[in-house]
Amino acid sequence: MTAIDPTAHLTAEQIEELGRELDSIRDEVIADRGEEDAAYIRKVISAQRKLELVSRGVLLFSIFPPAWLLGTAGLSVAKIMDNMEIGHNVLHGQWDWMRDPKIHSTTWEWDHVSPADQWKHSHNELHHTYTNVIGKDNDLGYGIMRVDEDQKWHPFHLGQPLWNFINACFFEYGIAAYDLELGKNLHKRRRKNPEFRARARAVGRKIRKQVLKDYVIHPLLSGPSFLTTLAATFTANLVRNIWSHSVIMCGHFPEGVQVFERRSIKGETRGQWYLRQMMGSANISGSRAMHFMTGNLSHQIEHHLFPDLPSNRYAEVAVKVRALFEKYELEYVTGPLPKQVFSAWRKVFRLSLPNKKPEVKTPDREQELVAA
């Protein structure tokens, strides 16, 4: 929550007009979806499965260093493709219009320890509804980081660079814990809740399945290459986790991205919701290959505006969206990956320290921020 509102120059009428213009951009893409888009996602899924199969085949001989390097690199890329350009976007319902039961948000399961249905609730329903609203959007800092100067500082926050690094290394497990809302459910009384226990069992089953596949079956199939295949799979998961975490951080946490109070969204209109997505997201600039490897979440602003549009259309949408930023005199936060990563981590470190000049807050404001 910046001291100066970067949208203060907009009138209510301008905000609603902005919303109508964004609706028009979305409607154009919806009307234009077709076989070319369907062919794209089918081609991506086919390529990912072939790459994973070949990489795991190469790792059967991972006792030889060249095979280890080649298989690990291929498996890392395959896992990133599965999570980012395929899993994340299929589970958003971006391809439901195809009416293909094999590529549908209700049937898809991904290479991730978080069950698809739990992730869809926490991500699609909560995060995308309450983007960057402190106390409502759990994606904002994942409950382990201070994300705004106005949040009350505690000594615990000194460790948030370390917590964030650990979360990056084991990101899929952090997401599973976040989907379970594990922090607030650790209380003994909450742990006995039947709904929570059922969801926890589902996560446990998914973790067992993933561990069995990655760390038991495939290494055993490698015979004398058991240990090297085990190490390769762990490395591939580590690479996938750090990459995914970095992309998400760059889209939500760099300097210039706004956060919002809960009371600010009371009575929010469609235009105001759009405006919050615009100001609460950041993009990553780069090549087509880089956009692909991020699952097109390098176009995070466009994704937050239109989460159900096919990801392969975000690049063309971004041109029109950026023009609207310029028209309404708003800052389009973007930059190359190294710059955005540095900006996000600098913010993590800065907010781990207490404010030099703490502001005086009203009781209501203080209570809201502490609760967050």
Side-chain angles (χ1 to χ4, degrees):
M1 291 162 283
T2 56
I4 301 175
D5 181 2
T7 67
H9 62 285
L10 297 178
T11 65
E13 291 76 13
Q14 286 177 310
I15 293 174
E16 295 315 305
E17 176 60 25
L18 170 62
R20 286 189 288 271
E21 292 186 79
L22 288 167
D23 277 337
S24 178
I25 292 174
R26 180 180 184 277
D27 291 343
E28 288 177 15
V29 177
I30 293 292
D32 190 52
R33 293 178 306 192
E35 186 53 40
E36 186 175 344
D37 300 295
Y40 168 80
I41 190 60
R42 290 192 174 106
K43 182 178 179 180
V44 171
I45 292 172
S46 176
Q48 187 277 331
R49 289 174 175 171
K50 290 175 182 175
L51 178 60
E52 181 173 358
L53 181 62
V54 170
S55 299
R56 290 193 182 277
V58 171
L59 287 174
L60 295 176
F61 309 96
S62 61
I63 196 170
F64 302 106
W68 191 93
L69 289 172
L70 183 61
T72 302
L75 186 58
S76 298
V77 172
K79 282 179 171 287
I80 289 171
M81 288 174 63
D82 178 89
N83 274 194
M84 305 299 283
E85 181 66 349
I86 302 174
H88 171 273
N89 296 328
V90 170
L91 293 177
H92 257 298
Q94 293 181 6
W95 306 100
D96 287 0
W97 58 273
M98 293 165 54
R99 301 292 191 269
D100 184 339
K102 295 180 179 179
I103 311 175
H104 200 276
S105 62
T106 59
T107 58
W108 192 267
E109 193 56 75
W110 56 350
D111 182 26
H112 202 284
V113 299
S114 185
D117 58 339
Q118 294 193 30
W119 181 86
K120 284 190 293 184
H121 170 71
S122 62
H123 186 81
N124 297 359
E125 297 177 25
L126 298 181
H127 168 59
H128 275 272
T129 300
Y130 301 109
T131 304
N132 281 25
V133 177
I134 295 181
K136 298 289 284 186
D137 179 9
N138 290 332
D139 269 30
L140 193 59
Y142 297 105
I144 60 174
M145 292 194 298
R146 181 173 180 243
V147 296
D148 187 78
E149 289 87 349
D150 288 338
Q151 280 183 278
K152 186 175 180 179
W153 180 86
H154 296 282
F156 169 82
H157 292 123
L158 287 170
Q160 74 178 30
L162 176 60
W163 318 145
N164 196 44
F165 175 73
I166 294 173
N167 188 39
C169 293
F170 301 96
F171 193 46
E172 61 177 321
Y173 292 92
I175 292 296
Y178 153 68
D179 291 345
L180 280 172
E181 297 182 285
L182 198 58
K184 77 175 188 179
N185 283 307
L186 285 178
H187 189 278
K188 185 176 181 180
R189 184 177 300 173
R190 286 182 178 269
R191 289 203 307 269
K192 293 182 178 180
N193 182 286
E195 181 182 350
F196 170 73
R197 290 168 67 89
R199 290 191 292 116
R201 286 194 296 270
V203 171
R205 288 192 297 269
K206 190 68 188 298
I207 290 175
R208 286 193 297 272
K209 180 180 178 180
Q210 293 296 112
V211 169
L212 185 66
K213 172 175 67 73
D214 276 349
Y215 300 121
V216 179
I217 295 176
H218 287 289
L220 283 175
L221 290 174
S222 300
S225 297
F226 175 88
L227 291 179
T228 49
T229 297
L230 188 69
T233 306
F234 177 82
T235 301
N237 281 325
L238 179 66
V239 169
R240 184 269 312 275
N241 287 338
I242 292 176
W243 175 258
S244 301
H245 179 272
S246 298
V247 170
I248 300 304
M249 273 198 66
C250 289
H252 298 83
F253 212 64
E255 301 287 356
V257 172
Q258 306 298 311
V259 296
F260 308 89
E261 299 179 35
R262 281 177 288 185
R263 62 185 176 185
S264 71
I265 65 170
K266 186 176 181 180
E268 188 176 59
T269 65
R270 178 68 170 171
Q272 290 169 335
W273 181 87
Y274 269 137
L275 186 60
R276 177 159 54 83
Q277 309 310 310
M278 296 168 73
M279 306 312 296
S281 312
N283 280 9
I284 306 170
S285 59
S287 65
R288 290 181 63 183
M290 201 281 300
H291 292 313
F292 176 78
M293 290 302 291
T294 67
N296 279 288
L297 293 182
S298 48
H299 301 293
Q300 189 69 238
I301 295 171
E302 289 71 31
H303 173 61
H304 270 231
L305 288 170
F306 313 116
D308 59 345
L309 290 187
S311 59
N312 63 312
R313 307 298 289 272
Y314 284 149
E316 65 183 78
V317 167
V319 177
K320 300 176 182 179
V321 169
R322 191 161 190 168
L324 289 180
F325 270 81
E326 295 176 1
K327 176 180 178 180
Y328 289 93
E329 300 180 352
L330 300 169
E331 182 185 5
Y332 191 84
V333 181
T334 188
L337 182 64
K339 175 188 174 182
Q340 298 297 70
V341 169
F342 176 77
S343 176
W345 273 98
R346 181 175 59 187
K347 190 173 179 181
V348 169
F349 277 93
R350 176 168 60 82
L351 293 175
S352 70
L353 303 174
N355 296 345
K356 294 181 179 179
K357 294 180 180 180
E359 299 178 5
V360 177
K361 307 177 183 67
T362 64
D364 289 343
R365 181 178 173 82
E366 177 72 12
Q367 182 178 5
E368 180 174 0
L369 291 167
V370 170

